[in-house]
Amino acid sequence: MRALLSVLLLLTLAGCEPSADAGPASTGTYVLAISWQPAFCETAPRKPECRAQNAGSLDARQFSLHGLWPQPGTNVWCGPDRASIEADKQGRWRDIAIDRLDEPLWRRLQAAMPGTRSNLHRHEWIKHGSCMRRTDANAYFRISLDLLDAVNASQLSALFANKIGQRLTGEAIRAAFEADFGAGTGNRLRISCEDDGNRRVISEITIGLKGALSGALDRDQVAALISASPKTDPGCPGGIIDRAGEQ
């Protein structure tokens, strides 16, 4: 009994829950982070994914995957060895080992997460995906991409694509989001902006989720996950939808 209590204490301090009583795979509260890549590239123009971006790129006209983060935010690095954690903290993402992804999933991830060129997927898996209970890297990225696809098929994504170069308010963004995901879901969405000279551009949106993440997720299931999550602060009140290559 004393040994078991010691193990439970260590798992708690590490920000991980013991798997024996964890329940169904990937059940809990999460944040889905999706980027507007042209705005991100204003802050990191030398990254390989930003050097490769142009106005015709897929990531210039729809949201890109940043990550899926189990909550609370302190719930990170569940299980990796110390050397891998240190490599992650130092930004040496190429040195982080990750299980081989299925080839169709890898191609899908490369299209949806431009940061794979900088090994962002390795960082996201070791820091966040490792804390999704009973979920391997393939399942983690498949779930993340299903969630992203639901947003990119929504009126919110269409609004951003149609307003490139123009300013959008938080109210307009939330109205478009709620048109697909239901009344009140806009209160689970937070807007992040970056200042670029005299412009303020929308760089990222984070969306709260609560429930079981497993199998294929359709829009109704995603809407239910969003509705069940806690409300969040609205973040930035609005900004410009940046154009690829615009300074």
Side-chain angles (χ1 to χ4, degrees):
M1 178 60 73
R2 182 176 298 175
L4 176 59
L5 290 175
S6 297
V7 171
L8 292 174
L9 177 59
L10 287 172
L11 287 167
T12 300
L13 292 174
C16 305
E17 298 183 32
S19 60
D21 58 358
S26 307
T27 299
T29 304
Y30 306 88
V31 167
L32 174 70
I34 56 177
S35 300
W36 189 253
Q37 195 71 6
F40 167 76
C41 287
E42 297 287 359
T43 67
R46 296 184 63 82
K47 281 188 171 290
E49 60 268 31
C50 294
R51 293 200 301 268
Q53 188 186 64
N54 57 64
S57 301
L58 184 65
D59 57 55
R61 59 184 187 273
Q62 68 176 32
F63 292 108
S64 298
L65 178 64
H66 180 172
L68 178 61
W69 307 331
Q71 296 299 293
T74 54
N75 193 20
V76 292
W77 295 303
C78 300
D81 60 83
R82 177 53 55 184
S84 296
I85 293 174
E86 286 305 313
D88 189 41
K89 289 181 176 180
Q90 295 168 17
R92 294 186 287 108
W93 296 346
R94 186 172 59 180
D95 296 337
I96 299 169
I98 183 173
D99 291 340
R100 182 178 178 84
L101 300 179
D102 296 338
E103 189 60 33
L105 177 65
W106 174 235
R107 291 196 297 269
R108 187 181 168 200
L109 184 63
Q110 286 177 300
M113 179 188 264
T116 53
R117 290 173 177 258
S118 299
N119 291 293
L120 174 64
H121 60 298
R122 296 175 184 265
H123 160 72
E124 291 298 324
W125 165 248
I126 192 175
K127 185 173 183 179
H128 302 289
S130 64
C131 295
M132 288 183 65
R133 293 168 289 186
R134 301 178 184 176
T135 301
D136 62 14
N138 277 277
Y140 171 69
F141 287 115
R142 190 171 292 112
I143 291 167
S144 301
L145 290 169
D146 284 350
L147 293 168
L148 174 70
D149 286 349
V151 178
N152 274 332
S154 74
Q155 294 186 47
L156 175 63
S157 182
L159 177 67
F160 269 59
N162 290 331
K163 295 294 184 179
I164 291 174
Q166 302 178 47
R167 188 181 187 278
L168 277 179
T169 64
E171 290 80 3
I173 289 169
R174 289 182 175 81
F177 190 69
E178 292 189 3
D180 285 292
F181 299 108
T185 55
N187 294 325
R188 280 75 179 170
L189 177 153
R190 187 178 190 279
I191 303 166
S192 296
C193 296
E194 298 285 345
D195 289 329
D196 178 47
N198 61 356
R199 304 185 310 145
R200 173 162 289 186
V201 296
I202 297 175
S203 58
E204 186 161 272
I205 286 177
T206 50
I207 301 165
L209 306 157
K210 184 177 182 182
L213 301 182
S214 59
L217 295 166
D218 61 29
R219 188 177 68 183
D220 289 342
Q221 291 171 313
V222 174
L225 291 165
I226 297 169
S227 295
S229 69
K231 294 180 180 180
T232 186
D233 67 276
C236 176
I240 294 170
I241 310 305
D242 205 16
R243 193 186 308 275
E246 186 168 329
Q247 299 297 323

Coordinates of all heavy atoms in Angstrom, one line a residue, residues 38 41-42 50 53-55 242-247:
P38 N -0.5 32.9 -42.1 CA 0.1 34.2 -42.6 C 0.5 35.1 -41.5 O 1.5 35.8 -41.5 CB -0.9 34.8 -43.6 CG -1.7 33.6 -44.1 CD -1.8 32.6 -42.9
C41 N 3.5 33.8 -39.6 CA 4.8 33.9 -40.4 C 5.3 35.4 -40.3 O 6.4 35.6 -40.7 CB 4.6 33.5 -41.8 SG 4.5 31.7 -42.0
E42 N 4.4 36.3 -39.9 CA 4.9 37.7 -39.7 C 5.9 37.7 -38.5 O 6.9 38.5 -38.5 CB 3.8 38.6 -39.4 CG 2.8 38.8 -40.5 CD 3.3 39.7 -41.6 OE1 4.4 40.1 -41.6 OE2 2.5 39.9 -42.6
C50 N 7.4 29.0 -43.3 CA 7.1 30.4 -43.7 C 7.8 30.8 -45.0 O 7.2 31.5 -45.9 CB 7.4 31.4 -42.6 SG 6.4 31.1 -41.1
Q53 N 5.7 29.4 -47.8 CA 4.3 29.9 -48.0 C 4.2 30.9 -49.1 O 5.0 31.8 -49.3 CB 3.8 30.5 -46.7 CG 2.3 30.8 -46.7 CD 1.8 31.5 -45.5 OE1 2.2 32.6 -45.2 NE2 0.9 30.8 -44.7
N54 N 3.1 30.8 -49.8 CA 2.7 31.9 -50.8 C 1.2 32.0 -50.8 O 0.5 31.3 -50.2 CB 3.3 31.5 -52.2 CG 2.8 30.2 -52.7 OD1 1.6 30.0 -52.9 ND2 3.7 29.2 -52.9
A55 N 0.7 32.9 -51.6 CA -0.7 33.2 -51.6 C -1.6 32.0 -52.1 O -2.7 31.9 -51.8 CB -1.0 34.4 -52.5
D242 N -4.7 38.4 -42.0 CA -3.4 38.7 -42.8 C -3.4 37.9 -44.1 O -3.9 36.8 -44.2 CB -2.2 38.3 -41.9 CG -1.0 39.1 -42.3 OD1 -1.1 40.1 -43.0 OD2 0.1 38.7 -41.9
R243 N -2.7 38.5 -45.0 CA -2.5 37.9 -46.4 C -1.1 37.3 -46.4 O -0.1 37.9 -45.9 CB -2.7 39.0 -47.4 CG -2.8 38.5 -48.9 CD -2.8 39.6 -49.8 NE -3.8 40.6 -49.5 CZ -5.0 40.6 -49.8 NH1 -5.5 39.6 -50.5 NH2 -5.9 41.6 -49.5
A244 N -0.9 36.2 -47.0 CA 0.4 35.6 -47.1 C 1.4 36.5 -47.8 O 1.1 37.1 -48.8 CB 0.3 34.3 -47.9
G245 N 2.5 36.7 -47.1 CA 3.6 37.5 -47.7 C 3.4 39.0 -47.4 O 4.3 39.8 -47.8
E246 N 2.3 39.4 -46.8 CA 2.1 40.8 -46.5 C 2.9 41.3 -45.3 O 2.9 40.7 -44.3 CB 0.6 41.1 -46.3 CG 0.3 42.6 -46.2 CD -1.2 42.8 -46.3 OE1 -1.9 42.0 -46.9 OE2 -1.7 43.8 -45.7
Q247 N 3.5 42.5 -45.5 CA 4.3 43.0 -44.4 C 3.7 44.3 -43.9 O 2.9 44.9 -44.6 CB 5.7 43.4 -44.9 CG 6.5 42.2 -45.5 CD 6.8 41.1 -44.4 OE1 7.0 41.5 -43.3 NE2 6.7 39.9 -44.8

